[in-house]
Amino acid sequence: MAREVLDIEACGLARVRDALDADFVRALEMLAGCRGRVVVTGIGKSGLVGRKIAATLSSTGTPAFFLHPVEGAHGDLGMLRPEDVALAISNSGETDELNAILPTLKASGVRIIALTGRRESTMGRLAEVVIDAGVPREACPLGLAPTASTTAALALGDALAVCLIEWNSFDAEAFRRCHPGGALGQRLAMRVADLMHTGDVPAVDQGATWAQALARLHEGGLGALAVTGGGGRLTGFVSDGDVRRILLRGGAEPQAPVAGLMTPDPASMTLEASAAQVLDLMEAKAITVVPIVDGEHRLVGMVHLHDLLGKGLLRFAG
Protein backbone atom coordinates (compact mmCIF):
# COMPACT_ATOMS: atom_id res chain seq x y z
CA MET A 1 0.00 0.00 0.00
CA ALA A 2 2.87 2.37 0.82
CA ARG A 3 4.37 1.74 -2.64
CA GLU A 4 1.00 2.38 -4.22
CA VAL A 5 0.71 5.71 -2.39
CA LEU A 6 4.13 6.76 -3.65
CA ASP A 7 3.25 5.62 -7.18
CA ILE A 8 0.04 7.69 -7.13
CA GLU A 9 1.93 10.75 -5.90
CA ALA A 10 4.68 10.22 -8.48
CA CYS A 11 2.01 10.08 -11.21
CA GLY A 12 0.55 13.30 -9.87
CA LEU A 13 3.94 15.01 -10.07
CA ALA A 14 4.44 13.72 -13.61
CA ARG A 15 1.07 15.13 -14.58
CA VAL A 16 1.77 18.66 -13.22
CA ARG A 17 5.24 18.54 -14.82
CA ASP A 18 3.69 17.79 -18.21
CA ALA A 19 1.06 20.51 -17.68
CA LEU A 20 3.63 23.30 -17.25
CA ASP A 21 2.92 25.94 -19.89
CA ALA A 22 3.19 29.64 -20.69
CA ASP A 23 1.13 30.50 -17.60
CA PHE A 24 3.88 29.12 -15.39
CA VAL A 25 6.34 31.46 -17.15
CA ARG A 26 3.90 34.37 -16.72
CA ALA A 27 3.71 33.58 -13.02
CA LEU A 28 7.51 33.62 -12.83
CA GLU A 29 7.59 36.99 -14.59
CA MET A 30 5.09 38.40 -12.09
CA LEU A 31 7.05 37.07 -9.11
CA ALA A 32 10.42 38.18 -10.46
CA GLY A 33 9.05 41.64 -11.22
CA CYS A 34 7.35 42.04 -7.84
CA ARG A 35 8.51 45.26 -6.17
CA GLY A 36 6.74 44.44 -2.92
CA ARG A 37 6.37 41.06 -1.29
CA VAL A 38 4.85 37.77 -2.38
CA VAL A 39 1.77 37.08 -0.25
CA VAL A 40 1.11 33.33 -0.08
CA THR A 41 -2.36 32.41 1.14
CA GLY A 42 -4.42 29.27 1.64
CA ILE A 43 -6.33 27.43 4.35
CA GLY A 44 -6.19 23.94 5.84
CA LYS A 45 -3.62 21.63 4.23
CA SER A 46 -3.13 24.16 1.43
CA GLY A 47 -2.31 26.73 4.10
CA LEU A 48 0.37 24.49 5.57
CA VAL A 49 1.85 24.04 2.10
CA GLY A 50 1.64 27.80 1.61
CA ARG A 51 3.63 28.48 4.78
CA LYS A 52 6.44 26.28 3.49
CA ILE A 53 6.39 27.92 0.05
CA ALA A 54 6.55 31.39 1.63
CA ALA A 55 9.49 30.32 3.79
CA THR A 56 11.33 28.84 0.80
CA LEU A 57 10.79 31.97 -1.29
CA SER A 58 11.99 34.26 1.51
CA SER A 59 15.13 32.23 2.11
CA THR A 60 16.07 32.20 -1.57
CA GLY A 61 15.83 35.88 -2.42
CA THR A 62 12.10 36.50 -2.99
CA PRO A 63 10.60 38.36 0.01
CA ALA A 64 7.40 36.57 0.98
CA PHE A 65 5.08 35.97 3.90
CA PHE A 66 2.07 33.78 4.61
CA LEU A 67 -1.36 35.37 5.07
CA HIS A 68 -4.14 33.33 6.65
CA PRO A 69 -7.30 34.26 4.69
CA VAL A 70 -9.50 34.44 7.79
CA GLU A 71 -7.04 36.77 9.55
CA GLY A 72 -6.86 38.71 6.30
CA ALA A 73 -10.62 39.20 6.32
CA HIS A 74 -10.38 40.55 9.88
CA GLY A 75 -7.79 43.26 9.36
CA ASP A 76 -4.52 41.72 8.18
CA LEU A 77 -5.22 42.82 4.59
CA GLY A 78 -3.93 46.17 5.86
CA MET A 79 -0.41 44.76 5.50
CA LEU A 80 -0.76 44.44 1.72
CA ARG A 81 0.36 47.04 -0.80
CA PRO A 82 -0.48 47.44 -4.52
CA GLU A 83 3.06 46.39 -5.46
CA ASP A 84 2.58 42.96 -3.83
CA VAL A 85 1.77 39.74 -5.69
CA ALA A 86 -0.51 37.09 -4.15
CA LEU A 87 -0.05 33.34 -4.64
CA ALA A 88 -3.38 31.71 -3.69
CA ILE A 89 -3.48 27.93 -3.15
CA SER A 90 -6.59 25.75 -3.29
CA ASN A 91 -6.94 22.39 -5.01
CA SER A 92 -10.66 22.85 -5.65
CA GLY A 93 -10.47 26.59 -6.21
CA GLU A 94 -13.75 26.87 -4.30
CA THR A 95 -12.49 27.60 -0.78
CA ASP A 96 -14.96 30.19 0.51
CA GLU A 97 -12.65 31.82 3.06
CA LEU A 98 -9.96 32.31 0.43
CA ASN A 99 -12.20 33.45 -2.41
CA ALA A 100 -13.82 35.98 -0.08
CA ILE A 101 -10.63 38.07 0.15
CA LEU A 102 -9.47 37.83 -3.48
CA PRO A 103 -11.79 40.56 -4.84
CA THR A 104 -10.43 42.94 -2.20
CA LEU A 105 -6.88 42.06 -3.21
CA LYS A 106 -7.71 42.76 -6.85
CA ALA A 107 -9.37 46.05 -5.99
CA SER A 108 -6.24 47.06 -4.06
CA GLY A 109 -4.06 46.47 -7.12
CA VAL A 110 -2.51 43.22 -5.88
CA ARG A 111 -1.95 40.81 -8.79
CA ILE A 112 -3.11 37.24 -8.14
CA ILE A 113 -1.61 33.91 -9.15
CA ALA A 114 -3.82 30.87 -8.51
CA LEU A 115 -2.27 27.48 -7.86
CA THR A 116 -5.23 25.13 -8.28
CA GLY A 117 -6.36 21.83 -9.71
CA ARG A 118 -9.37 23.46 -11.40
CA ARG A 119 -8.58 26.22 -13.86
CA GLU A 120 -12.26 27.15 -14.32
CA SER A 121 -12.98 27.39 -10.60
CA THR A 122 -14.03 30.58 -8.84
CA MET A 123 -10.44 31.18 -7.71
CA GLY A 124 -9.15 30.50 -11.21
CA ARG A 125 -11.50 33.09 -12.66
CA LEU A 126 -10.48 35.67 -10.07
CA ALA A 127 -6.77 35.19 -10.75
CA GLU A 128 -4.68 36.87 -13.41
CA VAL A 129 -2.65 33.70 -13.97
CA VAL A 130 -3.46 30.07 -13.15
CA ILE A 131 -0.83 27.39 -12.51
CA ASP A 132 -2.38 24.00 -13.19
CA ALA A 133 -1.84 21.78 -10.12
CA GLY A 134 -4.40 19.11 -10.99
CA VAL A 135 -3.58 15.47 -10.23
CA PRO A 136 -5.36 12.34 -11.52
CA ARG A 137 -6.42 11.23 -8.03
CA GLU A 138 -5.58 11.44 -4.36
CA ALA A 139 -3.60 8.68 -2.69
CA CYS A 140 -6.17 8.52 0.11
CA PRO A 141 -8.34 5.40 -0.52
CA LEU A 142 -11.40 7.49 0.33
CA GLY A 143 -10.39 10.12 -2.20
CA LEU A 144 -10.93 12.75 0.47
CA ALA A 145 -7.73 13.54 2.38
CA PRO A 146 -5.42 15.90 0.46
CA THR A 147 -2.37 13.79 -0.41
CA ALA A 148 -1.22 13.78 -4.03
CA SER A 149 -2.70 17.28 -4.52
CA THR A 150 -0.73 18.80 -1.65
CA THR A 151 2.45 17.06 -2.81
CA ALA A 152 1.92 18.59 -6.26
CA ALA A 153 1.31 22.07 -4.83
CA LEU A 154 4.43 21.83 -2.66
CA ALA A 155 6.55 20.69 -5.61
CA LEU A 156 5.23 23.49 -7.82
CA GLY A 157 6.16 25.96 -5.08
CA ASP A 158 9.69 24.53 -5.10
CA ALA A 159 9.77 24.82 -8.89
CA LEU A 160 8.82 28.51 -8.67
CA ALA A 161 11.44 29.20 -5.98
CA VAL A 162 14.25 27.38 -7.79
CA CYS A 163 13.48 29.06 -11.12
CA LEU A 164 13.51 32.42 -9.34
CA ILE A 165 16.94 31.64 -7.86
CA GLU A 166 18.25 31.35 -11.42
CA TRP A 167 16.19 34.28 -12.72
CA ASN A 168 17.43 36.62 -9.96
CA SER A 169 21.04 35.33 -10.00
CA PHE A 170 20.70 34.54 -6.30
CA ASP A 171 24.12 33.11 -5.41
CA ALA A 172 25.64 31.24 -2.48
CA GLU A 173 26.81 34.47 -0.80
CA ALA A 174 23.29 35.90 -0.90
CA PHE A 175 21.96 32.63 0.52
CA ARG A 176 24.50 32.84 3.35
CA ARG A 177 23.34 36.35 4.26
CA CYS A 178 19.79 35.00 4.60
CA HIS A 179 20.96 32.11 6.79
CA PRO A 180 23.48 33.52 9.29
CA GLY A 181 24.54 30.33 11.01
CA GLY A 182 21.22 28.72 10.17
CA ALA A 183 19.71 29.67 13.53
CA LEU A 184 16.87 32.01 14.40
CA GLY A 185 18.57 32.48 17.78
CA GLN A 186 21.44 34.36 16.16
CA ARG A 187 18.99 36.73 14.50
CA LEU A 188 17.14 37.35 17.75
CA ALA A 189 20.46 38.31 19.36
CA MET A 190 20.78 41.27 16.97
CA ARG A 191 20.04 44.80 18.16
CA VAL A 192 16.65 46.09 17.12
CA ALA A 193 18.44 49.13 15.64
CA ASP A 194 19.74 46.83 12.90
CA LEU A 195 16.29 45.49 12.01
CA MET A 196 13.83 48.35 12.42
CA HIS A 197 12.20 50.51 9.76
CA THR A 198 13.59 54.05 9.66
CA GLY A 199 13.10 57.02 7.38
CA ASP A 200 9.46 57.36 6.35
CA VAL A 201 8.06 55.70 9.49
CA PRO A 202 4.24 55.96 9.60
CA ALA A 203 3.55 58.69 12.16
CA VAL A 204 1.43 61.82 12.66
CA ASP A 205 1.54 64.71 15.08
CA GLN A 206 -0.90 64.47 17.99
CA GLY A 207 -2.68 67.50 16.57
CA ALA A 208 -3.71 65.54 13.46
CA THR A 209 -7.32 64.62 12.73
CA TRP A 210 -8.64 61.07 12.67
CA ALA A 211 -8.98 61.26 8.87
CA GLN A 212 -5.34 62.32 8.51
CA ALA A 213 -4.24 59.52 10.83
CA LEU A 214 -6.18 56.88 8.86
CA ALA A 215 -4.67 58.09 5.58
CA ARG A 216 -1.15 57.87 7.00
CA LEU A 217 -1.87 54.46 8.53
CA HIS A 218 -3.00 53.21 5.12
CA GLU A 219 0.10 54.61 3.39
CA GLY A 220 2.53 53.24 5.98
CA GLY A 221 2.15 49.57 5.12
CA LEU A 222 2.98 48.31 8.63
CA GLY A 223 -0.52 48.05 10.03
CA ALA A 224 0.26 50.62 12.74
CA LEU A 225 0.81 54.34 13.23
CA ALA A 226 2.83 56.26 15.82
CA VAL A 227 1.58 59.56 17.25
CA THR A 228 4.17 62.11 18.32
CA GLY A 229 4.16 65.30 20.35
CA GLY A 230 6.69 68.06 20.99
CA GLY A 231 10.20 67.30 19.80
CA GLY A 232 9.04 64.13 18.05
CA ARG A 233 8.45 62.31 21.34
CA LEU A 234 6.20 59.24 21.19
CA THR A 235 2.86 59.96 22.83
CA GLY A 236 0.47 57.43 21.31
CA PHE A 237 -0.14 54.59 18.91
CA VAL A 238 -2.90 53.44 16.54
CA SER A 239 -3.01 49.90 15.12
CA ASP A 240 -5.30 48.21 12.63
CA GLY A 241 -6.86 46.47 15.62
CA ASP A 242 -7.58 49.83 17.26
CA VAL A 243 -9.36 50.98 14.10
CA ARG A 244 -11.55 47.86 14.11
CA ARG A 245 -12.45 48.38 17.77
CA ILE A 246 -13.36 52.02 17.14
CA LEU A 247 -15.57 50.98 14.21
CA LEU A 248 -17.33 48.40 16.37
CA ARG A 249 -18.07 51.16 18.90
CA GLY A 250 -19.73 53.22 16.18
CA GLY A 251 -16.76 54.89 14.54
CA ALA A 252 -15.34 58.39 14.89
CA GLU A 253 -15.83 61.70 13.14
CA PRO A 254 -13.19 62.37 10.46
CA GLN A 255 -12.27 65.69 12.08
CA ALA A 256 -11.99 64.24 15.58
CA PRO A 257 -8.47 64.67 17.05
CA VAL A 258 -6.39 61.52 16.92
CA ALA A 259 -5.14 62.31 20.43
CA GLY A 260 -8.56 61.35 21.78
CA LEU A 261 -8.66 58.01 19.96
CA MET A 262 -5.06 56.74 20.14
CA THR A 263 -3.63 54.37 22.71
CA PRO A 264 -1.67 56.76 24.97
CA ASP A 265 1.80 55.94 26.33
CA PRO A 266 2.16 52.79 24.20
CA ALA A 267 4.66 50.02 24.83
CA SER A 268 7.98 50.79 23.16
CA MET A 269 11.60 49.69 23.05
CA THR A 270 14.91 51.53 22.86
CA LEU A 271 17.64 51.21 20.26
CA GLU A 272 19.75 49.10 22.61
CA ALA A 273 17.12 46.36 22.95
CA SER A 274 17.71 42.98 21.34
CA ALA A 275 15.34 41.45 18.82
CA ALA A 276 14.55 38.75 21.40
CA GLN A 277 13.45 41.39 23.93
CA VAL A 278 11.16 42.99 21.37
CA LEU A 279 9.71 39.59 20.50
CA ASP A 280 9.02 38.95 24.20
CA LEU A 281 7.18 42.27 24.39
CA MET A 282 5.12 41.40 21.30
CA GLU A 283 4.11 38.09 22.84
CA ALA A 284 3.25 39.65 26.20
CA LYS A 285 1.14 42.43 24.67
CA ALA A 286 -0.27 40.38 21.74
CA ILE A 287 0.97 42.97 19.22
CA THR A 288 2.92 42.73 15.96
CA VAL A 289 4.45 46.24 15.69
CA VAL A 290 6.56 48.07 18.28
CA PRO A 291 7.76 51.71 18.10
CA ILE A 292 11.46 52.29 18.82
CA VAL A 293 12.57 55.39 20.76
CA ASP A 294 15.85 57.01 21.73
CA GLY A 295 16.96 58.10 25.20
CA GLU A 296 14.72 61.18 25.00
CA HIS A 297 11.71 59.03 24.07
CA ARG A 298 11.76 60.41 20.51
CA LEU A 299 10.43 58.11 17.80
CA VAL A 300 13.33 56.78 15.68
CA GLY A 301 11.85 53.71 14.05
CA MET A 302 9.37 50.88 14.07
CA VAL A 303 9.81 47.11 13.99
CA HIS A 304 7.32 44.51 12.70
CA LEU A 305 7.17 40.86 13.73
CA HIS A 306 8.18 39.88 10.18
CA ASP A 307 11.41 41.87 10.56
CA LEU A 308 12.37 39.88 13.66
CA LEU A 309 11.74 36.58 11.88
CA GLY A 310 13.56 37.63 8.72
CA LYS A 311 10.47 37.78 6.51
CA GLY A 312 11.03 41.33 5.35
CA LEU A 313 14.81 41.64 5.61
CA LEU A 314 15.66 41.54 1.92
CA ARG A 315 13.14 44.21 1.02
CA PHE A 316 14.71 46.81 3.31
CA ALA A 317 18.38 45.80 3.14
CA GLY A 318 20.93 48.13 1.55
Side-chain angles (χ1 to χ4, degrees):
M1 183 178 289
R3 291 190 180 95
E4 182 181 0
V5 168
L6 296 178
D7 285 342
I8 292 170
E9 301 214 356
C11 286
L13 290 177
R15 193 269 167 192
V16 295
R17 177 200 62 204
D18 294 342
L20 291 178
D21 57 13
D23 279 345
F24 184 86
V25 178
R26 287 181 62 204
L28 280 174
E29 290 172 341
M30 288 169 59
L31 295 172
C34 177
R35 293 295 172 261
R37 296 163 297 175
V38 177
V39 183
V40 186
T41 184
I43 200 167
K45 305 300 186 297
S46 293
L48 295 174
V49 169
R51 290 179 188 276
K52 192 273 180 185
I53 292 174
T56 300
L57 288 170
S58 289
S59 68
T60 54
T62 302
F65 69 92
F66 177 78
L67 173 71
H68 194 289
V70 175
E71 295 296 334
H74 289 272
D76 280 3
L77 290 183
M79 294 188 293
L80 275 60
R81 310 299 299 154
E83 59 267 26
D84 294 337
V85 173
L87 176 63
I89 306 170
S90 169
N91 183 45
S92 69
E94 300 296 344
T95 304
D96 291 338
E97 299 90 340
L98 181 54
N99 289 338
I101 67 170
L102 295 185
T104 302
L105 266 63
K106 289 185 69 174
S108 301
V110 176
R111 303 175 73 186
I112 301 171
I113 300 168
L115 200 161
T116 179
R118 295 180 57 214
R119 186 178 294 272
E120 299 303 320
S121 62
T122 300
M123 190 176 82
R125 292 193 300 271
L126 287 169
E128 182 175 337
V129 175
V130 177
I131 298 176
D132 188 348
V135 296
R137 63 186 176 117
E138 299 286 9
C140 167
L142 300 176
L144 299 174
T147 45
S149 60
T150 48
T151 299
L154 189 63
L156 283 167
D158 286 342
L160 288 169
V162 172
C163 288
L164 288 168
I165 289 174
E166 184 72 18
W167 193 306
N168 295 324
S169 300
F170 187 79
D171 58 18
E173 177 58 25
F175 188 87
R176 186 194 64 78
R177 289 196 298 270
C178 291
H179 300 76
L184 177 60
Q186 292 189 23
R187 182 172 184 81
L188 293 180
M190 297 175 66
R191 291 172 63 245
V192 71
D194 299 320
L195 299 170
M196 68 183 186
H197 298 265
T198 58
D200 191 22
V201 176
V204 294
D205 184 81
Q206 62 185 13
T209 65
W210 182 236
Q212 291 170 327
L214 287 179
R216 188 68 186 95
L217 174 65
H218 176 68
E219 295 167 359
L222 291 180
L225 174 79
V227 182
T228 58
R233 290 178 175 82
L234 178 69
T235 59
F237 204 67
V238 178
S239 69
D240 282 344
D242 293 329
V243 175
R244 293 197 300 273
R245 285 185 283 274
I246 289 170
L247 288 173
L248 288 172
R249 294 200 301 265
E253 291 296 325
Q255 297 306 311
V258 69
L261 297 163
M262 68 185 187
T263 298
D265 301 319
S268 63
M269 278 287 182
T270 64
L271 291 164
E272 293 73 27
S274 70
Q277 289 173 313
V278 177
L279 184 61
D280 287 342
L281 176 65
M282 288 179 173
E283 291 179 341
K285 300 290 186 180
I287 55 179
T288 58
V289 184
V290 172
I292 308 301
V293 297
D294 63 13
E296 301 297 322
H297 208 65
R298 292 175 297 212
L299 179 71
V300 293
M302 221 178 260
V303 65
H304 191 284
L305 176 62
H306 290 156
D307 304 314
L308 302 183
L309 301 181
K311 300 298 185 184
L313 178 63
L314 290 176
R315 183 184 179 195
F316 298 98

